[in-house]
Every structure is written in structure tokens, then in C-alpha cells.
């Protein structure tokens, strides 16, 4: 019972040490915590030693000694500590037996540690248990030789409690080590995914303006094009190439999706520009774009990113109607909010698809899509303090509703920015 109580204290201390290491990411800090655990466990074993006869004590110090000696190479340190502590009980026969025994044990553990660490996880557990049983057996035999009487129940407990405890602690250490390795692998994988995602996002976001530019270049190659149309197409091409250049610059400088609400945007004008850009794409898919703009409504945001958001959402809607259909773009307003509705008559989405909409690499287009376009839409709308509500029915179509803070157009830009900032602070 005495030895089991001592073991329970070691296990409780191990539990708190595991909680501590779980909060650490630095391997050096984890080693410091592990060293403290073994030293404290070692001292606890001495504090709860069981006196058998004058000069003879039974304790569980082999547990922290074997584990720390094999896993961390602390055998000589704890072996020397054992001899020094035993010296406080007197320099009798028991001291010299302890000094000899633990001098040999500590040096053996120190020499075996490099070999031990090269083994597999299961082999390390079995090796530490077997070695502990061997040391316990040697110590028990020495006690049998020197003691005038024998306590066989104590010998039995001493022989089996220590290997059992070493097996438990070794198993916990192996599991902690596996967890740390998995954590590092997960972190490395996430970093690689971030690099891949950035590359995919760059290619995806550049594709939109380049596709538009290529389309207008093809129109410029027509022989009967008027000078007025030629100049208009050249202006659009220049604008889209500049947009692509800005996207590249943003990602090369690792810019975040932060939006400074410093530009007042007339919503219906921005929508008209996006529609004009996508009109050739809509015509090729036999998609009719219907607009319902009642009032002149102003919001705050970044013009280029807002334009990018509108192009992405309408391009997705057009692609959802490969056999033709109607895309309705409608503006709704209230004294405080403005809503932009995009209604298509495409294939629609299931409830499961709606739940994952906006997640990286999730696309309703299967292998033909990356999901990054919709992710960018969600990111931009949220950065502009807006919300997105989606309704869809398979075979009927999908409606996206963007809601932003609306501002009176009579205010100047400084007053608009102040109003937006006050509104956001209050929210």
C-alpha cells in the first residue's frame, strides 16, 4: 500500500506535467519541464521511502531514474543525487551498497541511452520495463543477502510495481512525443497549404481580368470595328491589365484582405461596369442580364476589391447557366442599409453545398473549380462590414443577397468616413 501510494503521487505529478507541456511548442521548454518532473519524482520517492531494517530502505526511485536515464541521458545526474541523499542517512553498509549499485546503474543507463533512442516506440517501452525489472531484481537479491529476515510480500510488490510504473510512464511519453510530432507535421502541412493556396489564388484572380482582356483583344482583331469602339476596348483592356497587376502586387507583398473604407462607391455605377465587362461572356452562354436600379446609393469600400467581388459573383452565376438563362441584378435600399441581389436561373445548390460555400478549395463545379473565387467574395464582403445571405433550390436557381451600410450621397467623403467609423464602433 505504501508503494502504491508513492506511485499514485508520481502519476498525479505526471498528469500536471503533461498539462504543462501541452501548452508549450518549444522543444527546449518541454525538456526543461520533463527534467523538473523527473527530479521532483525522484525526491518524492525518497520522501516516501519504506524502512525495512537499519540502513535498508525500499523506494521507487528506479522509476524516474530509468526513464530519465534512457530518454534524456540523466542517469549520472540522478545516480549521483541518489548517493548524496543516501549519505544523509549515514555512511553504513547500506550506503556503500547503494553507492556501488547506483553508480553501476547510472553509468549503464548513460551508455544505453543512445542505443535506446534509436529503437521503435514499442521496443523502447519493452526495453525500459525489462531493464527496470532487472535492476529491481538485483536490488531485491542484495536485500535478501543482507537482511536478517525476509518480507516476501514487499519483495513481490517491489519487483512488479516498478516495472509496471515504468511501462505506464514510458507509454505516456511515447504518446506525448507522437502528439508533438503530429503537431509539427500539421503545422508544416498548413504552411505548405498556405503557399499552395496563395499560388492558386494568384492564378485564379489574375485569370478573370486576363480572360476579359483576351476577349476584347479578339474584338479588336475584327476588321469592321469603329474607331470609337477600338478606343473603348483599349481602355477596358488597360484597366483589366492594371487590375491584374494590382492583384500580383497584393500577393507578392503578402497583403492581407484588409479594406480601408476610404472610397465612396456609387453602387449602380460599379455594377454597370462589372456587367459591361461580363456582357460578352453572358452573350456566349445565352444569358440575359436584367438590372433593377431604383436609387443612387453610396457605400464605402475599396473600388478595385469591390469590383473584383462583383465580377466573381456574376461570373459564377453566368457559369451556373451554361444552357442560357436570366441573371437579375437588383438594388434594394433602406435608410441605413443597401442590399444587392443576384438572382440566377441556374442549376441551384443543395443544402450541403450551401453549408460549405465560401470555404477554401470547395467548389460546386467539381474538378473544374478551386472555390477560391467564392472565398474571395466572402472575404471582401466581410471586410467591407457587409453580410451575405444565400438561398438556393436545385433546378430553380440561386439568390445571393449582399447587405452593406448605405450612406447619404449629400455627405462629403470625410463625413461619410466618420459616419461609417461611428457605426462600426457602435456595432
Amino acid at each position: 500500500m505504501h508503494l502504491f501510494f508513492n506511485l499514485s503521487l508520481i502519476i498525479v505529478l505526471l498528469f500536471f506535467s503533461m498539462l504543462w507541456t501541452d501548452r508549450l511548442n518549444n522543444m527546449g521548454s518541454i525538456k526543461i519541464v520533463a527534467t523538473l518532473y523527473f527530479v521532483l519524482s525522484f525526491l518524492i520517492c525518497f520522501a516516501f521511502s519504506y524502512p525495512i531494517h537499519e540502513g535498508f530502505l525500499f523506494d521507487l526511485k528506479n522509476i524516474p531514474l530509468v526513464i530519465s536515464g534512457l530518454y534524456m541521458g540523466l542517469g549520472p545526474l540522478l545516480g549521483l543525487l541518489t548517493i548524496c541523499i543516501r549519505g544523509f542517512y549515514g555512511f553504513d553498509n547500506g550506503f556503500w551498497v547503494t553507492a556501488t549499485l547506483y553508480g553501476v546503474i547510472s553509468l549503464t543507463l548513460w551508455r544505453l541511452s543512445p542505443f535506446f533512442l534509436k529503437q521503435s516506440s514499442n521496443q523502447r517501452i519493452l526495453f525500459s520495463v525489462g531493464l527496470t525489472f532487472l535492476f529491481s531484481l538485483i536490488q531485491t537479491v542484495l536485500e535478501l543477502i543482507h537482511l536478517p529476515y525476509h518480507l516476501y510480500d514487499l519483495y513481490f510488490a517491489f519487483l512488479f510495481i516498478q516495472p509496471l510504473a515504468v511501462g505506464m510512464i514510458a507509454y505516456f511519453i511515447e504518446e506525448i512525443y507522437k502528439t508533438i510530432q503530429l503537431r509539427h507535421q500539421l503545422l508544416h502541412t498548413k504552411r505548405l497549404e498556405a503557399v499552395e493556396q496563395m499560388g492558386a489564388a494568384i492564378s485564379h484572380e489574375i485569370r478573370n481580368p486576363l480572360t476579359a482582356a483576351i476577349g476584347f483583344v479578339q474584338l479588336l482583331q475584327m476588321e469592321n470595328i469603329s474607331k470609337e469602339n477600338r478606343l473603348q476596348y483599349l481602355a477596358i483592356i488597360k484597366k483589366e491589365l492594371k487590375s491584374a497587376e494590382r492583384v500580383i502586387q497584393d500577393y507578392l507583398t503578402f497583403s492581407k484582405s484588409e479594406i480601408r473604407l476610404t472610397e465612396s462607391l456609387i453602387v449602380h455605377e460599379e455594377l454597370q461596369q462589372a456587367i459591361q465587362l461580363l456582357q460578352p461572356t453572358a452573350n456566349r452562354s445565352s444569358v440575359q442580364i436584367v438590372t433593377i436600379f431604383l436609387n443612387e446609393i453610396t457605400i464605402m469600400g475599396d473600388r478595385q476589391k469591390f469590383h473584383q467581388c462583383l465580377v466573381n459573383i456574376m461570373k459564377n452565376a453566368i457559369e451556373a447557366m451554361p444552357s442560357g438563362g436570366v441573371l437579375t441584378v437588383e438594388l434594394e435600399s433602406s435608410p441605413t442599409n443597401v442590399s444587392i441581389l443576384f438572382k440566377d436561373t441556374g442549376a441551384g445548390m443543395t443544402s450541403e453545398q450551401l453549408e460549405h460555400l465560401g470555404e477554401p478549395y470547395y467548389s460546386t463545379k467539381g474538378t473544374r473549380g478551386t472555390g477560391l473565387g467564392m472565398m474571395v467574395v466572402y472575404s471582401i464582403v466581410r471586410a467591407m462590414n457587409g453580410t451575405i445571405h444565400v438561398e438556393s433550390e436545385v433546378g430553380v436557381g440561386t439568390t445571393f443577397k449582399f447587405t452593406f451600410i448605405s450612406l447619404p450621397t449629400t455627405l462629403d467623403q470625410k463625413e461619410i468616413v466618420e459616419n461609417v467609423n461611428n457605426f462600426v464602433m457602435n456595432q
Side-chain angles (χ1 to χ4, degrees):
M1 293 297 294
H2 186 91
L3 295 180
F4 270 120
F5 177 71
N6 190 174
L7 176 60
S8 67
L9 293 178
I10 297 174
I11 297 299
V12 169
L13 183 60
L14 175 64
F15 171 74
F16 286 106
S17 300
M18 289 172 64
L19 291 180
W20 192 359
T21 55
D22 190 54
R23 298 173 179 270
L24 302 174
N25 294 321
N26 188 295
M27 202 64 190
S29 302
I30 293 175
K31 288 183 178 179
I32 292 173
V33 173
T35 303
L36 289 174
Y37 164 72
F38 288 123
V39 172
L40 288 175
S41 299
F42 197 73
L43 295 176
I44 287 174
C45 291
F46 268 103
F48 288 88
S49 58
Y50 186 84
I52 306 173
H53 186 65
E54 183 179 352
F56 291 92
L57 302 171
F58 260 2
D59 52 53
L60 302 181
K61 61 178 174 290
N62 284 348
I63 298 172
L65 178 64
V66 171
I67 293 292
S68 64
L70 291 175
Y71 279 95
M72 302 185 65
L74 298 177
L77 174 63
L78 293 189
L80 181 61
L81 190 60
T82 301
I83 296 171
C84 292
I85 293 175
R86 182 61 183 81
F88 285 106
Y89 292 91
F91 295 93
D92 49 15
N93 290 334
F95 169 79
W96 297 113
V97 171
T98 300
T100 304
L101 177 62
Y102 282 93
V104 173
I105 289 177
S106 60
L107 289 175
T108 302
L109 292 172
W110 180 62
R111 294 298 300 269
L112 287 175
S113 180
F115 166 79
F116 172 81
L117 294 175
K118 294 178 182 179
Q119 308 307 307
S120 66
S121 176
N122 291 334
Q123 288 174 335
R124 285 196 292 264
I125 294 173
L126 293 174
F127 187 87
S128 59
V129 170
L131 197 61
T132 305
F133 181 81
L134 177 62
F135 291 157
S136 300
L137 182 62
I138 294 172
Q139 190 173 353
T140 303
V141 170
L142 290 174
E143 301 291 351
L144 282 169
I145 294 173
H146 291 88
L147 284 176
Y149 55 88
H150 306 302
L151 301 172
Y152 293 103
D153 56 340
L154 180 62
Y155 299 153
F156 180 82
F158 186 73
L159 275 173
F160 289 98
I161 288 177
Q162 289 194 118
L164 174 66
V166 167
M168 292 170 58
I169 296 174
Y171 175 79
F172 289 142
I173 290 174
E174 294 296 337
E175 290 301 311
I176 292 171
Y177 181 68
K178 289 176 184 177
T179 302
I180 293 172
Q181 280 189 316
L182 287 173
R183 190 178 296 172
H184 284 297
Q185 289 175 3
L186 181 61
L187 183 61
H188 181 67
T189 302
K190 284 188 174 181
R191 287 174 178 170
L192 289 178
E193 285 181 357
V195 173
E196 291 174 0
Q197 184 173 345
M198 179 175 289
I202 292 174
S203 63
H204 181 273
E205 296 309 317
I206 291 177
R207 189 180 295 120
N208 284 340
L210 289 185
T211 300
I214 290 171
F216 283 102
V217 168
Q218 291 173 345
L219 291 176
L220 286 173
Q221 293 175 339
M222 297 172 60
E223 296 180 357
N224 58 348
I225 186 172
S226 65
K227 183 178 180 181
E228 181 181 352
N229 286 341
R230 184 183 299 275
L231 293 175
Q232 182 185 6
Y233 295 162
L234 286 171
I236 294 174
I237 291 170
K238 182 179 179 181
K239 180 181 177 182
E240 293 306 312
L241 291 177
K242 283 186 176 181
S243 177
E245 183 184 14
R246 287 187 63 179
V247 171
I248 294 173
Q249 188 61 37
D250 284 345
Y251 282 101
L252 287 178
T253 55
F254 297 96
S255 63
K256 300 178 182 179
S257 58
E258 296 177 352
I259 292 180
R260 296 179 180 178
L261 304 179
T262 54
E263 293 181 87
S264 58
L265 309 175
I266 301 175
V267 180
H268 76 273
E269 291 184 358
E270 301 300 327
L271 286 168
Q272 289 285 14
Q273 291 180 14
I275 291 170
Q276 181 184 11
L277 178 66
L278 292 170
Q279 193 64 61
T281 304
N283 292 338
R284 285 195 299 270
S285 299
S286 301
V287 173
Q288 180 185 2
I289 301 178
V290 178
T291 60
I292 305 174
F293 303 153
L294 299 179
N295 301 318
E296 184 175 298
I297 303 168
T298 304
I299 62 173
M300 297 302 299
D302 183 300
R303 177 168 281 105
Q304 190 269 339
K305 291 186 182 297
F306 186 57
H307 178 75
Q308 178 182 349
C309 172
L310 298 178
V311 169
N312 279 358
I313 195 67
M314 286 193 285
K315 185 171 179 287
N316 281 352
I318 294 170
E319 290 176 350
M321 300 178 284
S323 301
V326 178
L327 171 60
T328 303
V329 183
E330 182 178 354
L331 276 178
E332 295 178 351
S333 65
S334 70
T336 56
N337 294 326
V338 55
S339 297
I340 311 172
L341 281 77
F342 302 92
K343 303 177 184 178
D344 67 60
T345 57
M349 291 179 285
T350 63
S351 57
E352 183 181 356
Q353 289 174 322
L354 286 176
E355 288 179 5
H356 296 286
L357 205 61
E359 294 180 1
Y361 294 108
Y362 180 80
S363 175
T364 58
K365 304 173 188 175
T367 57
R368 295 183 296 108
T370 64
L372 290 168
M374 192 56 63
M375 184 190 72
V376 169
V377 169
Y378 273 77
S379 176
I380 292 173
V381 171
R382 288 177 186 140
M384 291 177 61
N385 301 316
T387 59
I388 299 179
H389 177 71
V390 187
E391 294 181 357
S392 186
E393 184 177 348
V394 176
V396 176
T398 303
T399 300
F400 281 85
K401 183 178 181 180
F402 298 170
T403 303
F404 301 96
I405 304 167
S406 64
L407 298 168
T409 55
T410 55
L411 296 177
D412 61 26
Q413 185 165 325
K414 182 178 180 181
E415 290 174 320
I416 290 173
V417 173
E418 289 177 355
N419 284 348
V420 171
N421 290 335
N422 290 335
F423 182 86
V424 172
M425 290 291 289
N426 292 332
Q427 290 293 98

